[in-house]
Amino acid sequence: MAKNEDWQKGDAVRRSLMGSATVERMAQGVYDDPIMEAFGDYAREAVFAKLWARPGLDLKTRTLICVISDTATHAWPELAIHLRMARRAGWSEEELSESLLHLSGYIGLPSVREGLIVARAVFAEMRGEPEGGLGA
């Protein structure tokens, strides 16, 4: 099925944030059935093409907003995705860890602890990838 212009735009934004290898890996393990493919198509069009590509904030800032909101709402699988995006957008491991730690006074230690556990795993995984997971 042909993909529309918003899908194409959203796919380009998504690939720039995640890296093509991660996008391809997710296509095989998450979006490989009709239900999840439809979700992925919608996310590309509505979220990546229309939300992430809006003017007013750069992608780096948008990734940090997602990391913070994921931690505050206990969205652990999404936190792993958004931490990867944040690293690729230019945040260092130290900056992201400090951002999570800063949340402890506002959302509580249990959420921050879990967020840091997710971050530790994502950072270790990325360090084991070519170019530290930061390449194309």
Side-chain angles (χ1 to χ4, degrees):
M1 180 174 157
K3 304 299 184 180
N4 68 31
E5 186 177 327
D6 279 340
W7 190 97
Q8 299 292 340
K9 180 180 179 180
D11 188 60
V13 171
R14 185 171 177 255
R15 283 179 185 277
S16 75
L17 288 163
M18 292 182 177
S20 291
T22 298
V23 168
E24 297 305 323
R25 187 172 60 245
M26 290 175 77
Q28 298 306 311
V30 178
Y31 300 106
D32 58 354
D33 68 72
I35 292 169
M36 290 307 295
E37 182 181 7
F39 173 83
D41 289 347
Y42 177 79
R44 278 179 180 86
E45 294 173 14
V47 177
F48 289 102
K50 300 207 185 238
L51 188 62
W52 280 85
R54 287 178 51 82
L57 292 174
D58 59 40
L59 292 177
K60 185 176 180 182
T61 301
R62 290 179 191 278
T63 61
L64 186 60
I65 291 168
C66 290
V67 166
I68 300 304
S69 66
D70 291 342
T71 305
T73 61
H74 309 159
W76 309 127
E78 289 76 15
L79 177 60
I81 293 167
H82 290 131
L83 282 164
R84 175 176 288 276
M85 290 177 169
R87 286 287 293 121
R88 290 180 50 82
W91 295 106
S92 69
E93 291 182 14
E94 294 77 17
E95 289 169 324
L96 291 167
S97 298
E98 186 61 31
S99 296
L100 292 173
L101 187 58
H102 183 76
L103 289 173
S104 62
Y106 300 94
I107 66 170
L109 285 173
S111 295
V112 169
R113 177 185 175 277
E114 193 65 32
L116 288 168
I117 290 170
V118 171
R120 179 180 64 187
V122 169
F123 298 159
E125 178 181 288
M126 290 183 76
R127 279 187 236 115
E129 295 171 0
E131 299 179 55
L134 302 176

